[in-house]
Amino acid sequence: MSRFGVAVLASGTGTNLQAILDQLHGQEEGVAVVGVASDKPGAEALERARGAQVPAATFPASEHPDREARDAAMADWLEGAGADLIVLAGYMQLLSPEFVGRFRNRIINVHPALLPSFAGIDAVGQAIEHGVRVTGVTVHFVDEGVDSGPIILQRAVPVRPGRDRDELEDAIHRTEHALLPEAVRMIAAGRVSVDSANGRVVTIRQQRT
Ligand code: GAR
């Protein structure tokens, strides 16, 4: 089986990276995490990468003249690592249009809300403030906008009245840890494509039995 290289960008704790490492890396689907990059040198995600013997690199804004230069350096590193797919797992930087164009429909993001509701930062806080009864998780392709690309998978998480923020965040994280690896697995199997007639719509082919 040929290898499908997945690179992960993460700014923080990296529990979604860990879910990918635990559920997909080196398993029978041929998926290999080939690199982890971060804008934050202290990100726990980098420790998780090293723990799994996955190459890790940091690209802090302060070490590059501007975002375009930082993203170009990061893109070169990711390509050199053999990334077929780039997964944003808590990567809190907006990518430059050049970066997005270079990996068109090969970058996905996990977002802690049912897009297009509650895009941007603190989606969980936005949902609580809005008083919604249902929120959830979205995995989508990344385009030039903020959390605006074509939707691949979504899963609902109920917001019970009186549920506190920590409890809701835990439920969303558990959902992410299932949904993101599921999306990566489907993409690696070649089952996911963006509709050529309507670029907002993603088609998922059934798994062959
Ligand atoms: C996740 O909840 C992810 O959905 C969110 O950051 C968290 C990262 O957790 N991403 C965004 O809000 C992006 N808009 P992790 O570092 O433990 O994987």
Side-chain angles (χ1 to χ4, degrees), residues 96-166:
S96 66
E98 292 78 11
F99 186 101
V100 173
R102 190 160 156 183
F103 299 101
R104 176 75 58 201
N105 293 339
R106 292 200 291 135
I107 312 170
I108 65 172
N109 179 46
V110 60
H111 184 75
L114 292 177
L115 291 170
S117 291
F118 313 129
I121 57 167
D122 193 20
V124 177
Q126 291 185 58
I128 291 170
E129 278 297 301
H130 200 92
V132 294
R133 298 295 189 218
V134 178
T135 184
V137 173
T138 302
V139 180
H140 64 94
F141 284 114
V142 171
D143 66 8
E144 285 78 359
V146 177
D147 302 323
S148 56
I151 290 168
I152 303 166
L153 289 178
Q154 292 188 300
R155 191 157 296 161
V157 174
V159 188
R160 283 196 300 279
R163 192 176 214 186
D164 72 15
R165 187 187 167 113
D166 287 352

Side-chain angles (χ1 to χ4, degrees), residues 12-17 89-92 109-112 120 147 173 176:
T13 317
T15 62
N16 280 285
L17 163 65
Y91 185 67
M92 296 308 191
N109 179 46
V110 60
H111 184 75
D147 302 323
H173 270 125
E176 290 181 334

Side-chain angles (χ1 to χ4, degrees), residues 26-208:
Q27 314 272 325
E28 74 273 15
E29 284 101 340
V31 173
V33 179
V34 294
V36 172
S38 182
D39 56 310
K40 297 267 183 312
E44 200 182 324
L46 295 165
E47 289 306 315
R48 295 179 191 269
R50 292 183 196 111
Q53 281 86 49
V54 169
T58 52
F59 297 88
S62 58
E63 289 181 9
H64 302 272
D66 53 30
R67 183 178 64 155
E68 285 68 26
R70 186 261 295 275
D71 284 3
M74 191 162 68
D76 289 344
W77 186 81
L78 294 166
E79 227 163 50
D84 297 299
L85 178 72
I86 296 166
V87 177
L88 311 191
Y91 185 67
M92 296 308 191
Q93 302 284 315
L94 192 61
L95 291 165
S96 66
E98 292 78 11
F99 186 101
V100 173
R102 190 160 156 183
F103 299 101
R104 176 75 58 201
N105 293 339
R106 292 200 291 135
I107 312 170
I108 65 172
N109 179 46
V110 60
H111 184 75
L114 292 177
L115 291 170
S117 291
F118 313 129
I121 57 167
D122 193 20
V124 177
Q126 291 185 58
I128 291 170
E129 278 297 301
H130 200 92
V132 294
R133 298 295 189 218
V134 178
T135 184
V137 173
T138 302
V139 180
H140 64 94
F141 284 114
V142 171
D143 66 8
E144 285 78 359
V146 177
D147 302 323
S148 56
I151 290 168
I152 303 166
L153 289 178
Q154 292 188 300
R155 191 157 296 161
V157 174
V159 188
R160 283 196 300 279
R163 192 176 214 186
D164 72 15
R165 187 187 167 113
D166 287 352
E167 201 190 331
L168 180 58
E169 259 172 357
D170 282 352
I172 286 177
H173 270 125
R174 282 196 302 276
T175 304
E176 290 181 334
H177 299 162
L179 206 66
L180 184 58
E182 190 176 323
V184 172
R185 192 179 289 119
M186 290 192 317
I187 292 168
R191 295 172 52 209
V192 179
S193 54
V194 176
D195 192 303
S196 54
N198 179 353
R200 281 229 58 84
V201 173
V202 168
T203 304
I204 298 174
R205 280 175 296 284
Q206 290 303 309
Q207 194 165 19
R208 287 206 201 94

